[in-house]
Amino acid sequence: MGFMSSPNPEPRLTSAKIVVAGGFGVGKTTLVGAVSEIPPVNTEAWMTQTSKTVDPLSEDTGKVTTTVAMDFGRVTLADDLVLYLFGTPGQARFWPMWDDLCRGASGAVVLVDTHRLDASFAAVNYFENDSDVPFIVAVNLFDGEQTHDLADVREALQLSPHIPLVTCDARTRGAAVETLTTSLNHTMRQTANGHDVPAVR
Amino acid sequence: MTVNPWVRPYVLTGGRTRTRHPLFVHTLVSVPQYDPGYAAQLPPEARRLYERANTAVQSVAELSAHCGVSLGVTRVLLGDMAARDRMVVNPGGYESPYDPRLLKRVIDGLYELA
Ligand SMILES: Nc1nc2c(ncn2[C@@H]2O[C@H](COP(=O)(O)OP(=O)(O)OP(=O)(O)O)[C@@H](O)[C@H]2O)c(=O)[nH]1
Ligand SMILES: [Mg+2]
């Protein structure tokens, strides 16, 4: 590999990423915060309509730029392994941003609030149709109690039978960890048998 | 803001700097060999990124957030520095985010946290 000329050893730290998606206020930031070793970093990212020709430092290109808030957390899992958790911006009109956040992700969790299932329709649609990243759906138990039968939720979301549907309390680390590992186990199953192994780029 | 001549060539060649590895938001970068002279002549945003990246290996998103430089601009500037070997884009240990060895390590690591 390259970099032979550099005097310092090339860092061997590896990073992985899980995306936490869902509609407005479903608990994405809460879930990221429950696992992250740093408070979720909220940053403004520029979204440009086309990435091919836009000079991001120039305002006279006539291209539309929108500011989007996104947040992420970080978990050091080992000396050489860091996991990043990215919460997608809630609104579906920021899909180009979602593409960007999802590229290279090992898995995705779509959070839903059973009182406002429709808030997460767009996110489910996105992962079903527009993304190759394997996803699961997690019902955030806002009041700690499951108020809807999961079978009904699955029906309402029109989820394919192979997509895991779980419940979690986004505020507690244990439940958040369980949700994330369910997501990665799902990815493992989805990609192990050779079907649906998208190229990353 | 006026056009920054320092990034112009890359913009003209299609807006994407060619780097050996893609710059995802979670891609780790670092400074292989800090050069104060190089830092001194950088435009402010690039300089903040360069200085910050020199403190620890970190992700594109962290650099963007902590330096107050938007993600798009951060990518362009890091890509440019990487193309000049001023920044190393960490290839990571795995070819694919779906590599079962990687997935297993992350799962095990998460369980240890819980
Ligand atoms: N009681 C309870 N409140 C919760 C839970 N999860 C999130 N909340 C609250 O619900 C609100 C929204 O949670 P966030 O984590 O900010 O949701 P989000 O999906 O990041 O929201 P946006 O980024 O605005 O789309 C906050 O006031 C949280 O404190 C939960 O499990 N139980
Ligand atoms: Mg949020």
Side-chain angles (χ1 to χ4, degrees):
Chain A
M1 298 254 328
F3 318 130
M4 291 308 188
S5 55
S6 100
N8 291 352
E10 191 182 319
R12 290 312 305 189
L13 197 62
T14 291
S15 61
K17 173 172 67 182
I18 299 175
V19 170
V20 181
F24 260 136
V26 294
K28 301 180 294 290
T29 303
T30 304
L31 188 140
V32 170
V35 187
S36 178
E37 67 200 15
I38 53 168
V41 181
N42 199 295
T43 183
E44 306 265 286
W46 289 98
M47 190 186 76
T48 42
Q49 292 307 94
T50 51
S51 53
K52 291 185 290 295
T53 52
V54 165
D55 174 354
L57 295 181
S58 161
E59 275 177 4
D60 48 23
T61 51
K63 291 295 193 308
V64 183
T65 14
T66 323
T67 308
V68 200
M70 57 150 207
D71 46 27
F72 63 93
R74 170 187 170 125
V75 195
T76 305
L77 296 176
D79 286 350
D80 60 344
L81 184 62
V82 188
L83 173 67
Y84 288 99
L85 303 170
F86 279 82
T88 58
Q91 291 152 296
R93 66 192 174 93
F94 295 134
W95 278 5
M97 179 81 189
W98 288 28
D99 287 343
D100 197 37
L101 290 180
C102 291
R103 213 163 288 137
S106 292
V109 175
V110 176
L111 271 182
V112 301
D113 174 354
T114 47
H115 299 103
R116 302 181 295 117
L117 269 189
D118 57 328
S120 293
F121 283 173
V124 173
N125 283 340
Y126 175 83
F127 284 99
E128 220 157 52
N129 306 317
D130 301 321
S131 171
D132 292 326
V133 177
F135 75 102
I136 68 162
V137 177
V139 174
N140 187 13
L141 301 174
F142 276 88
D143 41 18
E145 230 173 81
Q146 194 175 325
T147 49
H148 294 72
D149 190 15
L150 280 185
D152 294 340
V153 174
R154 181 178 288 281
E155 171 74 26
L157 291 176
Q158 298 277 298
L159 276 192
S160 319
H162 77 280
I163 308 282
L165 175 64
V166 299
T167 57
C168 86
D169 180 337
R171 292 167 301 177
T172 65
R173 172 177 271 202
V177 160
E178 186 71 36
T179 304
L180 297 175
T181 53
T182 301
S183 159
L184 296 178
N185 277 313
H186 175 60
T187 298
M188 194 113 73
R189 281 192 306 275
Q190 285 296 291
T191 54
N193 41 18
H195 100 89
D196 205 20
V197 187
V200 179
R201 260 258 53 168
Chain B
M1 192 193 272
T2 51
V3 173
N4 184 339
W6 189 73
V7 294
R8 203 66 199 163
Y10 294 92
V11 172
L12 287 176
T13 57
R16 281 278 167 250
T17 311
R18 304 234 177 283
T19 50
R20 297 173 178 92
H21 303 280
L23 282 171
F24 299 136
V25 286
H26 64 294
T27 299
L28 300 165
V29 300
S30 58
V31 173
Q33 188 181 29
Y34 183 76
D35 177 350
Y38 175 73
Q41 53 84 47
L42 286 171
E45 291 183 323
R47 181 163 184 179
R48 287 207 297 281
L49 294 168
Y50 184 70
E51 301 280 2
R52 174 94 197 182
N54 185 45
T55 62
V57 181
Q58 58 204 292
S59 64
V60 172
E62 282 167 298
L63 285 170
S64 163
H66 292 124
C67 296
V69 181
S70 74
L71 207 49
V73 175
T74 297
R75 276 216 178 99
V76 172
L77 297 178
L78 293 180
D80 187 277
M81 288 189 267
R84 293 156 199 250
D85 292 326
R86 295 295 189 168
M87 197 77 84
V88 171
V89 178
N90 193 322
Y94 305 88
E95 281 289 301
S96 155
Y98 309 136
D99 187 318
R101 292 166 303 170
L102 173 64
L103 295 173
K104 176 142 197 339
R105 284 204 64 199
V106 175
I107 290 166
D108 292 347
L110 279 170
Y111 273 129
E112 263 171 55
L113 278 185

